[in-house]
């Protein structure tokens, strides 16, 4: 009888030790897994924070002169067939560039330059009237750019595009020639850093 009790006690002791080790083993695995998961969550949060901040601070302002215009009427001509082709080519030129707003003046040639890409992107065209004094027009453009987050495409005139670039913090550029319609300017605005400008061309020369 005593031997039976001793055997039962021994078996119970062995079972208790095995249960303890098994519990510690699986708890250790779970704790390790929990620690790993927590670490991954922290690293993900840390890595996403700078990316979100970068998107909030950096944006691109694209500026072009209106496309080729017709000869008549002299006061507010529409685009010529060649100008219409150039306007359409903006879709391809900016196919990989997200846009938040489009800005034109009250003149048809600027609005029609934006028509193809406005329809393709389903974006409205904001009209900022080009009235004298020209300094007020430039200031209104700057205010409109800063009123909307994201990238902006501006279609201006040969005499306003250089002024807008400078007013937004970009460098002074040469005057745009009367027969020059293909220049495309990419002005990068980074909070706390000087603006940077890239000049390129689009459409057919």
């Amino acid at each position: 009888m005593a031997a039976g009790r001793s055997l039962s006690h021994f078996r119970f002791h062995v079972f208790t030790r095995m249960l303890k080790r098994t519990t510690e083993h699986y708890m250790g695995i779970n704790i390790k897994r929990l620690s790993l998961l927590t670490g991954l969550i922290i690293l993900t949060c840390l890595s996403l924070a700078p990316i979100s901040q970068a998107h909030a601070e950096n944006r691109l302002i694209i500026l072009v002169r209106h496309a080729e215009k017709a000869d008549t009427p002299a006061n507010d001509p529409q685009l010529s067939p060649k100008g219409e082709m150039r306007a359409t080519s903006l879709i391809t030129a900016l196919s990989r560039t997200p846009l938040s707003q489009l800005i034109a003046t009250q003149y048809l040639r600027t609005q029609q330059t934006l028509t193809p890409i406005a329809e393709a992107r389903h974006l409205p065209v904001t009209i900022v009237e080009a009235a004298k004094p020209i300094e007020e027009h430039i200031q209104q453009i700057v205010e409109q750019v800063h009123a909307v987050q994201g990238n902006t495409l501006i279609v201006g005139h040969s005499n306003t595009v250089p002024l807008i670039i400078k007013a937004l913090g970009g460098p002074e550029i040469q005057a745009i020639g009367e027969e020059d319609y293909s220049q495309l300017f990419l002005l990068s605005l980074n909070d706390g850093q000087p603006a940077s400008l890239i000049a390129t061309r689009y459409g057919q020369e």
Side-chain angles (χ1 to χ4, degrees):
M1 192 71 176
R5 288 180 179 178
S6 298
L7 180 61
S8 298
H9 179 74
F10 174 75
R11 288 175 177 175
F12 177 77
H13 180 69
V14 171
F15 174 76
T16 303
R17 291 182 63 184
M18 290 177 63
L19 179 62
K20 181 179 179 182
R21 290 179 180 177
T22 302
T23 303
E24 290 176 348
H25 173 72
Y26 282 103
M27 284 185 66
I29 292 176
N30 290 334
I31 290 173
K32 290 179 180 179
R33 287 178 177 174
L34 181 61
S35 299
L36 179 60
L37 179 60
T38 303
L40 287 174
I41 293 173
I42 293 173
L43 287 174
T44 302
C45 292
L46 289 175
S47 63
L48 287 178
I51 295 174
S52 300
Q53 185 178 7
H55 280 297
E57 293 178 351
N58 302 338
R59 53 184 172 162
L60 194 64
I61 313 302
I62 304 101
L63 303 99
V64 298
R65 181 195 179 190
H66 60 79
E68 289 88 340
K69 59 184 178 179
D71 295 331
T72 57
N75 60 336
D76 191 13
Q78 300 187 30
L79 293 185
S80 66
K82 187 175 181 180
E84 292 175 352
M85 291 178 59
R86 186 176 303 280
T88 301
S89 69
L90 268 178
I91 298 176
T92 304
L94 301 177
S95 61
R96 298 185 179 182
T97 304
L99 295 173
S100 296
Q101 72 169 335
L102 309 174
I103 299 177
T105 68
Q106 75 273 28
Y107 294 105
L108 287 175
R109 54 190 181 273
T110 64
Q111 297 173 36
Q112 291 177 348
T113 301
L114 284 174
T115 297
I117 197 168
E119 294 177 350
R121 302 291 186 96
H122 305 288
L123 287 173
V125 176
T126 300
I127 304 300
V128 179
E129 291 198 9
K132 295 181 179 180
I134 195 172
E135 291 79 12
E136 291 186 7
H137 169 65
I138 301 302
Q139 182 58 34
Q140 290 174 358
I141 292 283
V142 171
E143 291 174 358
Q144 183 60 42
V145 166
H146 291 297
V148 176
Q149 293 184 348
N151 302 332
T152 297
L153 171 58
I154 303 172
V155 176
H157 301 267
S158 59
N159 62 329
T160 62
V161 169
L163 297 177
I164 296 170
I165 291 174
K166 188 174 181 180
L168 286 169
E172 187 171 346
I173 66 170
Q174 294 181 352
I176 298 175
E178 184 60 29
E179 299 300 321
D180 190 352
Y181 296 96
S182 65
Q183 289 197 73
L184 186 148
F185 300 96
L186 305 170
L187 183 65
S188 179
L189 301 182
N190 306 310
D191 287 356
Q193 299 180 13
S196 59
L197 181 70
I198 296 176
T200 183
R201 293 186 179 272
Y202 78 104
Q204 293 182 350
E205 292 293 333

